[in-house]
Amino acid sequence: MKNFIFDVDGTLIDTIGMYIPALQTTLAKHGYERKYTDLTKLFGITALDALRDAGVKSDEIQPIFKEWFTLAYQNDDKVSV
């Protein structure tokens, strides 16, 4: 075998604690109050699809996306192996 393909997130590492709290905080800042448990259902799809499914208006998706990921990466200590 020359190549191996495997799922990293949710298999080798768990990043939900990094992304979901940052998403919840960012959404709330922009007037989108969402329950943590509702947001966990969006975990595993693309970030842009998650924002759409969370009800973010199309013209706000890119700015909120950037803000969300900036905040999430500040919480990289929440990633577990």
Side-chain angles (χ1 to χ4, degrees), residues 6-58:
F6 55 91
D7 179 17
V8 174
D9 198 5
T11 305
L12 299 178
I13 61 172
D14 184 8
T15 60
I16 198 165
M18 179 175 94
Y19 287 111
I20 299 301
L23 175 58
Q24 187 177 34
T25 299
T26 305
L27 288 175
K29 180 179 173 186
H30 292 273
Y32 298 98
E33 296 290 334
R34 301 292 184 269
K35 294 179 185 176
Y36 185 91
T37 54
D38 291 337
L39 295 177
T40 61
K41 296 173 188 171
L42 302 176
F43 193 69
I45 63 175
T46 70
L48 298 178
D49 286 339
L51 292 173
R52 284 185 201 97
D53 288 356
V56 175
K57 297 175 191 169
S58 60

Side-chain angles (χ1 to χ4, degrees), residues 52-73:
R52 284 185 201 97
D53 288 356
V56 175
K57 297 175 191 169
S58 60
D59 62 323
E60 294 181 296
I61 288 177
Q62 281 299 324
I64 289 175
F65 169 81
K66 290 177 184 177
E67 192 174 327
W68 169 23
F69 273 67
T70 297
L71 182 57
Y73 291 138

